[in-house]
Amino acid sequence: MTTDRAISTMPTSMPADLRRKVRIILMAGFLLVAAAALADLDRFFANWLVLFVFLLTTGMGTLFLVALEYTVNAHWSVPFRRICEHLTGLVPLSLLLVVPVLLGLYRLYEWTHVDVVAADPVLTAKAPYLNIPFFAVRLTVYFLVWLLFYRLFNNLSQQQDFTGDERQTRRGIKLGPPFMILFAFTMSFAAIETTIGDMAQRAKDKKLLPDELAGGTFTITNGGIFGSLLST
């Protein structure tokens, strides 16, 4: 005996009990964040930077996997492609998480200190590149590229779910290669500017602790720092 039932692709609302629990968890999280900022603002911004980088690389890594699947026209990965697409939702979330990073630039990076830059010939030479306005402009460009392809790839899937049009897959195949090239450049520069540059400066000042290097790797591949996350 067989029964034909239509599978709904419409989103369902979150149960009321679950919504209440989520609100409680969020409120507790906000209180803990506020307490951390009041206790040690320097450490708060440093930890927030780690959180931002971790969630951004997770979202961008899954977006890279979606693009890779389209580029090679993989069929075996289609069943779990939606999982990756859901995880790419961390990309727009990272746009909100970067705001505290921008607010804490003075506490995170020595090149934001005018007196430090004036006393260091190396930082003085890099001042046209390492300055707050240009840093903000570069981050804006990176996010515009990331958010554009995030919307393009997710829209393709949503349209194919509702229409069953296989042309959406062919469009994804065309979008994959240009995104992967842009991914390699933007993620590499973003990683160097937000994390590696700071570690290099502290290593130069002999302030880098051995624990900060434990379990870490550095990759120069088209997988970018997402490859580092998988390998550590």
Side-chain angles (χ1 to χ4, degrees), residues 140-176:
T140 301
V141 173
Y142 300 156
F143 268 103
L144 286 176
V145 172
W146 299 336
L147 290 172
L148 171 64
F149 281 94
Y150 160 77
R151 289 304 306 165
L152 288 174
F153 282 121
N154 279 275
N155 282 342
L156 288 178
S157 290
Q158 291 174 8
Q159 291 174 16
Q160 193 169 44
D161 282 344
F162 286 104
T163 65
D165 189 354
E166 294 185 0
R167 288 178 299 179
Q168 306 300 336
T169 299
R170 292 194 288 271
R171 289 168 184 161
I173 294 173
K174 293 179 181 178
L175 287 174

Side-chain angles (χ1 to χ4, degrees), residues 84-136:
C84 291
E85 289 172 347
H86 281 299
L87 285 173
T88 61
L90 293 171
V91 177
L93 175 63
S94 299
L95 183 61
L96 298 177
L97 296 178
V98 77
V99 175
V101 175
L102 294 174
L103 295 176
L105 286 179
Y106 189 80
R107 295 178 178 271
L108 289 171
Y109 305 110
E110 287 194 334
W111 52 262
T112 60
H113 299 241
V114 177
D115 55 335
V116 174
V117 173
D120 189 332
V122 176
L123 288 179
T124 301
K126 294 181 179 180
Y129 184 83
L130 290 179
N131 59 78
I132 294 178
F134 193 31
F135 181 84

Side-chain angles (χ1 to χ4, degrees), residues 31-84:
L31 291 176
L32 290 173
V33 168
L38 292 174
D40 188 340
L41 198 55
D42 289 336
R43 177 51 55 188
F44 166 78
F45 281 116
N47 290 336
W48 191 275
L49 178 63
V50 173
L51 170 69
F52 164 71
V53 171
F54 176 77
L55 293 180
L56 173 64
T57 52
T58 302
M60 287 301 299
T62 51
L63 188 59
F64 172 82
L65 288 179
V66 171
L68 180 62
E69 292 166 14
Y70 275 120
T71 300
V72 300
N73 195 20
H75 297 284
W76 62 268
S77 59
V78 173
F80 68 83
R81 181 182 297 167
R82 294 297 183 271
I83 299 175
C84 291

